[in-house]
Amino acid sequence: MAERGTGRYVGSAFITLNRELRERLWRRVQEHAGPAPKGMKRPATQWVKPGLIGRVKHLRGEEDLRHASLQDFREDET
């Protein structure tokens, strides 16, 4: 996950979507796979080009995501 606007990496999130949304997300990921952000070394991660906005549930009061789970997502329309 990246901060909207700056693109700063803020952490990862578990995928907690129902089957239909999970499949829709996976299709989108496969179609828009991209390179890792500069300086990021996470070999088991599938990076996706910007264009998705996710609703993420996480612990409050943290600068980066902690115990985050993806609740929903949509295409960025800007």
Side-chain angles (χ1 to χ4, degrees):
M1 301 284 170
E3 193 173 63
R4 191 171 184 191
T6 67
R8 182 180 77 82
Y9 177 77
V10 294
S12 60
F14 289 100
I15 308 299
T16 59
L17 304 171
N18 65 38
R19 183 178 184 161
E20 179 184 338
L21 286 174
R22 219 177 23 250
E23 289 173 357
R24 196 178 95 200
L25 175 62
W26 184 241
R27 279 193 305 274
R28 202 307 185 162
V29 165
Q30 290 174 319
E31 293 168 0
H32 296 88
K38 193 172 185 178
M40 290 301 301
K41 293 180 173 44
R42 296 183 73 108
T45 302
Q46 175 66 61
W47 297 97
V48 181
K49 295 175 186 172
L52 280 180
I53 297 175
R55 185 170 58 87
V56 178
K57 184 177 179 180
H58 61 92
L59 294 178
R60 293 182 191 201
E62 300 289 333
E63 186 173 319
D64 291 340
L65 295 179
R66 290 200 46 197
H67 302 286
S69 59
L70 181 65
Q71 304 292 302
D72 195 9
F73 71 96
R74 64 181 168 85
E75 296 286 331
D76 188 3
E77 297 176 13
T78 59

